[in-house]
Amino acid sequence: MPYRLYKEYFLRVERWWHDAATGIAGVDAAHERIVDFMIRQSLDAIAPANLPMLNPEVEHAARESHGESIRAGLRNLLKDTEIALNHENRLPLAPGRDVAITPGKVVYRNRLIELIQYSPTTGEVRPEPVLIVPAWIMKYYILDLSPENSLVRYLVGQGYTVFMMSWHNPDKGDRDLTLDDYRADGVMAALDAVSAITGALKIHATGYCLGGTLLSIAAAAMARDHDSRLASVTLFAAQTDFTEAGELQLFITEAQLAFLEDLMWQHGYLDTKQMAGAFQMLRSNDLIWSRMIRRYFIGEQEHPNDLMSWNMDATRMPYRMHAEYLRHLFLHNDLAEGRLSAGGRPVAIGDIDVPFFVVGTERDHIAPWHSVYKLHLLNRGPITFVLTSGGHNAGIVSEPGHPHRHYASLQRLPGEPYLAPEAWQDEAPKHDGSWWPEWVAFLGAHSSPPAAPPPLGREEAGYPVLDAAPGHYIHER
C-alpha cells in the first residue's frame, strides 16, 4: 500500500511540474526544454523505483536472499569504487580478440585515419567497393562487433570489397584540427586510397551517425567539384538538417558552447568522461538510476555483451573541430541552409546527384528519424528511406535472424511529391526481420556484375599493407 500511495503522489507531482515548465507564453522553446529537462533530472532522483526503501524489488530480493543481495551490492560498489579511483578502463571484450575480428589489413594511415581493407570471402566481388565512414565520436567496430552481428562480415559475405575508416583518438597535439581536416584527411584521403587500390571507377560510400553527416559534406563538395566517383550514398542514423536534432540540443546553446569551449581550451580536447556524462544524462533512468539500483541494492552482476563493451570504449574530441561542428551544424544549421564551406567554398546537399539509401531508427534519441528524414527536403534525387525498429545503435546492428526486428521501406523517385513523415509511415510497406538484405539489394541494383577481387593493398600505387586489422588506432585510449 505505501508503494502505491507514493507512486500516485509522485505521478501527480511529475505532471504538475511538467505543466508548470512547458507551454508558457513568451518563453523560448529551447529554454523551455532545458528547464523541463533539469526538472526531470531532479524528479528522477526521487522516483519510487530509484529509492531503495520504496522499490519493492529491492525488498523482495533482500527478503528472499536473507540479505545476501545487499551484501553483493556492497561488494559491487567497493569494486567499482576501486576501479574508478585507479582510473582503470578495462574493456570486457577486447578489440582484435573478441570483437573487431573480421580478417583484413590496414592499407593506409595518416594523422587522422587508418584504412582497413577486409579480405574477400567469395570467389568474385562486385567491382564497386564499399567505403564506410564511422562517426569520430565512437570506435568504428560498432559495425564489426561479434562475427554473428558484424555488418562488415555480412557485407563481405555478400560479395563486396569493404573498406573501413578507423579514426585516430585525438590528444592535445590535435587541438587545432578542423572539421574540414576531417573531410580532407579522412573521407577524401580514404576515397583516394580505395580508388588507387581497387581501380574502381565508382564507390559505394556509407556513413554512420556524424560520419554520415561528414560523408554528406564530402559528397556535396565532390558534386560541386565534378568528382563523379560515387555510385551511391548510404546514411545510417545520420542528419543533414539539425533543426530537430534530438535531445543533444539541450546542451547546445550559445552560452553552453562558450562554456564548453573554455572547458576544452586547457587540454585541447573534450575528455571521454565529459562526453559519456552528457549521453548518460539524456537517459539517466536507464543508464544511471536503474543500473545503480540493480547493481548496488539488488546485487546483480553485469555480464556485458559486445554492444555494452563497445559503449565503454569512448573517444576524445579535438578542441577546434568539436567547437566547429557543434556551432555550424547543431547551433546554426549551416549545412542545410547552404552556409557551410568545404575546401573554402560553400556546399549544398541538393548538388549530390547519386541514389541515397537512408536508415532511421524508431527510438533514436540522438538522431530522431524525423530529423534524418529531412534529407527529402534537401535533395530531390532518388532516396530509399528505411525506418527500422530499435534505437541509434541497436537499430543499425540488426543482423538477419535477430528476433523481434521489423522495418518499413519506400523509395522516393525524382519528380515525385514530398511525403510528410506521417504520410510516409502510412504508405511504406512493412516487413519483419532485418533491413540488411534490403540494403544489399539496393547496392546490387547500382553495381556491375561480379568479377575477380582486387588485391589487399597496392604497394606500387603507394598503398602497401601496413598491419593486420583492426590496426593501431583502435587501441588508443
Side-chain angles (χ1 to χ4, degrees), residues 150-186:
S150 167
L151 179 62
V152 169
R153 185 180 290 262
Y154 175 79
L155 201 55
V156 170
Q158 298 298 311
Y160 287 88
T161 299
V162 179
F163 290 81
M164 174 73 74
M165 290 167 50
S166 175
W167 293 103
H168 161 59
N169 196 359
D171 54 34
K172 61 182 179 181
D174 300 311
R175 65 180 305 128
D176 291 322
L177 287 171
T178 67
L179 181 61
D180 204 44
D181 288 332
Y182 272 65
R183 177 194 66 87
D185 293 340

Side-chain angles (χ1 to χ4, degrees), residues 16 87 438:
W16 189 93
H87 303 287
E438 185 98 2

Side-chain angles (χ1 to χ4, degrees), residues 52 57 82 84 92 100 107 148-149 165 205 254 262 286 367-368 370 382 402 412 450-451 468 475:
E57 286 188 272
E82 181 183 4
V107 294
E148 63 272 13
N149 62 1
M165 290 167 50
E254 189 66 48
D262 289 343
D286 294 333
H370 282 74
H402 195 295
R412 195 277 311 275
H475 298 295

Side-chain angles (χ1 to χ4, degrees), residues 88-285:
E88 296 180 33
N89 185 24
R90 293 177 294 189
L91 296 177
L93 303 177
R97 185 193 68 198
D98 307 301
V99 291
I101 58 175
T102 302
K105 301 293 183 183
V106 176
V107 294
Y108 176 68
R109 179 185 294 124
N110 64 19
R111 63 174 178 162
L112 268 182
I113 66 165
E114 288 181 327
L115 184 65
I116 299 169
Q117 180 182 2
Y118 291 95
S119 303
T121 60
T122 55
E124 294 185 319
V125 298
R126 297 285 189 164
E128 295 80 11
V130 178
L131 170 64
I132 301 177
V133 183
W136 58 85
I137 64 171
M138 57 192 188
K139 297 293 178 70
Y140 81 82
Y141 64 93
I142 178 67
L143 300 175
D144 185 28
L145 290 169
S146 303
E148 63 272 13
N149 62 1
S150 167
L151 179 62
V152 169
R153 185 180 290 262
Y154 175 79
L155 201 55
V156 170
Q158 298 298 311
Y160 287 88
T161 299
V162 179
F163 290 81
M164 174 73 74
M165 290 167 50
S166 175
W167 293 103
H168 161 59
N169 196 359
D171 54 34
K172 61 182 179 181
D174 300 311
R175 65 180 305 128
D176 291 322
L177 287 171
T178 67
L179 181 61
D180 204 44
D181 288 332
Y182 272 65
R183 177 194 66 87
D185 293 340
V187 179
M188 299 312 298
L191 280 169
D192 291 343
V194 172
S195 296
I197 292 169
T198 65
L201 299 178
K202 296 286 185 179
I203 298 167
H204 294 296
T206 302
Y208 185 13
C209 186
L210 282 172
T213 305
L214 184 65
L215 172 61
S216 299
I217 296 169
M222 292 172 71
R224 177 199 66 195
D225 298 338
H226 308 291
D227 184 340
S228 59
R229 284 180 290 172
L230 297 184
S232 68
V233 170
T234 295
L235 304 178
F236 298 154
Q239 301 170 94
T240 48
D241 183 301
F242 288 79
T243 51
E244 299 180 69
E247 295 174 354
L248 281 175
Q249 285 182 307
L250 288 164
F251 302 116
I252 301 172
T253 65
E254 189 66 48
Q256 291 183 81
L257 289 188
F259 171 76
L260 181 62
E261 288 168 7
D262 289 343
L263 191 67
M264 292 190 293
W265 175 255
Q266 182 178 1
H267 297 293
Y269 56 79
L270 183 68
D271 187 73
T272 57
K273 294 179 181 177
Q274 294 161 332
M275 176 69 73
F279 283 105
Q280 286 179 335
M281 284 185 67
L282 293 177
R283 298 176 61 198
S284 58
N285 250 336

